[in-house]
Amino acid sequence: MEIKTYRLCTAREMDIVKTFECGQCFRWNADKHGKYTGVAGGFAAELWEEDGSIIISGGGSEAFWREYFDLDRNYEAISSGFNGGEYLDRCVEFGRGIRILRQEPWEAMCSFIISQCNNIPRIKGIVERLCNLAGNPVYLGETEYRSFPGAETVAALSLEELAVLRSGYRARYILDAAKSVAEGRVDPERLKQLDYRSAKKELLAMNGIGEKVANCIVLFGLGHLEAFPVDTWIRKALKEHFPPDFNPDSLGEYAGIAQQYIFYYARSTGNE
DNA sequence: AAACAGGCCTAAA
DNA sequence: TTTAGGCCTGTT
């Protein structure tokens, strides 16, 4: 695979630590120097910050990565339009530089099914074992990584084979979802064409996908930025820092971005 | 040791 | 329509 190295954007446009550590993705990992490596769209890449710029080195086109990192959207302008009060302003300030990744629909579906009632280190472990089990090799120079396995590949596995993931009761949901996709009952790519409500409705009909997971899939996998997933952290933040009658929908078409700022801030400050 | 972790499903009111 | 209990596994 051809490796290209170039300046992707400014460090001000995207903070790679916040973007990769804010809990939206599970396949980007840093080495001890802060260089992140991950696989998306079948391409492996490394990203690091250097003199105020974000440098990327890997496969895939620049257009692909600009789309993946949502670089053609003005997060500053969007954030300044939020009307969520002083606490949200603090979250925005704290999370400045986060970008909502445009992850692949099937990967997002599978990953967020795994995420339910789970913690991030364990989610990452399960996803990594799934990729090692069923993904295809992807090379970056001499180093081998694994792509996220296609639904057809996962659907061909048995529950017994999936046991190595240690994903517990979620294995059945993973397999059900993979079969739904592989057999054409659900087409994750087609869901991208639907509006937020229609896409979510289809997802809610699937086994193992409820309100929260469906919202994560449409937000992180289908690019519907109005989705506002409410998990335990967000629920706690809403209760403690927003008016009792506050409705997240009032944040508008980019509510999902606000959600990620709140989630990141709540998780960063609530753990210590 | 008991409780909890980015929930969901089913059964029962 | 809302609520309780169960569910795999790992960590604290």
Side-chain angles (χ1 to χ4, degrees):
Chain A
M1 177 172 65
E2 189 197 354
I3 296 180
K4 287 173 292 189
T5 304
Y6 50 94
R7 173 184 175 283
L8 182 64
C9 62
T10 66
R12 183 180 170 76
E13 288 173 275
M14 172 162 72
D15 183 314
I16 55 174
V17 176
K18 294 179 190 173
T19 296
F20 291 136
E21 306 291 349
C22 73
Q24 65 174 320
C25 59
F26 309 105
R27 293 212 67 204
W28 288 91
N29 296 298
D31 67 11
K32 58 186 174 186
H33 303 107
K35 178 188 286 186
Y36 279 88
T37 305
V39 180
F43 306 113
E46 297 177 324
L47 281 86
W48 64 93
E49 182 176 335
E50 189 178 303
D51 301 327
S53 291
I54 301 302
I55 311 297
I56 183 169
S57 179
S61 67
E62 180 171 1
F64 170 80
W65 292 112
R66 287 197 65 83
E67 160 86 11
Y68 181 76
F69 290 110
D70 200 22
L71 287 170
D72 294 312
R73 197 186 304 279
N74 188 339
Y75 280 61
E76 291 289 339
I78 290 169
S79 302
S80 62
F82 290 143
N83 229 324
E86 186 262 343
Y87 180 79
L88 177 55
D89 291 344
R90 227 158 59 223
C91 295
V92 169
E93 177 61 31
F94 185 79
R96 188 180 306 282
I98 288 177
R99 308 197 73 87
I100 304 292
L101 303 186
R102 311 200 66 154
Q103 304 179 52
E104 291 161 274
W106 158 247
E107 176 173 341
M109 180 183 287
C110 198
S111 298
F112 284 98
I113 284 174
I114 291 168
S115 79
Q116 65 183 260
C117 201
N118 223 332
N119 56 60
I120 291 177
R122 197 172 156 230
I123 298 166
K124 292 177 82 164
I126 293 169
V127 171
E128 184 179 353
R129 290 190 287 278
L130 176 61
C131 294
N132 286 335
L133 176 70
N136 294 119
V138 177
Y139 292 94
L140 192 59
E142 302 291 300
T143 315
E144 180 182 307
Y145 298 93
R146 292 276 167 167
S147 66
F148 196 90
E152 304 74 17
T153 311
V154 177
L157 300 171
S158 64
L159 274 181
E160 291 70 29
E161 290 172 299
L162 285 175
V164 297
L165 305 185
R166 316 298 296 157
S167 64
Y169 62 84
R170 303 162 196 82
R172 188 163 42 84
Y173 300 154
I174 295 170
L175 197 53
D176 282 353
K179 285 179 176 170
S180 294
V181 174
E183 292 165 13
R185 292 193 298 279
V186 175
D187 181 352
E189 296 295 334
R190 189 185 64 83
L191 292 182
K192 276 172 111 170
Q193 328 280 17
L194 303 182
D195 59 65
Y196 164 66
R197 290 194 178 286
S198 311
K200 193 167 136 185
K201 189 175 171 189
E202 282 207 31
L203 291 169
L204 286 173
M206 296 175 68
N207 189 25
I209 297 181
E211 181 70 21
K212 193 272 176 180
V213 168
N215 270 321
C216 284
I217 297 169
V218 295
L219 175 58
F220 301 117
L222 305 181
H224 291 304
L225 298 181
E226 68 201 280
F228 192 95
V230 177
D231 68 329
T232 55
W233 290 98
I234 293 291
R235 186 166 289 115
K236 184 164 177 280
L238 287 176
K239 183 189 277 185
E240 295 178 359
H241 302 289
F242 289 82
D245 60 342
F246 177 76
N247 182 359
D249 292 341
S250 68
L251 293 169
E253 59 179 325
Y254 300 112
I257 296 179
Q259 182 273 351
Q260 204 56 29
Y261 289 138
I262 298 167
F263 178 75
Y264 180 60
Y265 184 74
R267 218 168 64 84
S268 302
T269 57
N271 253 339
E272 52 231 45

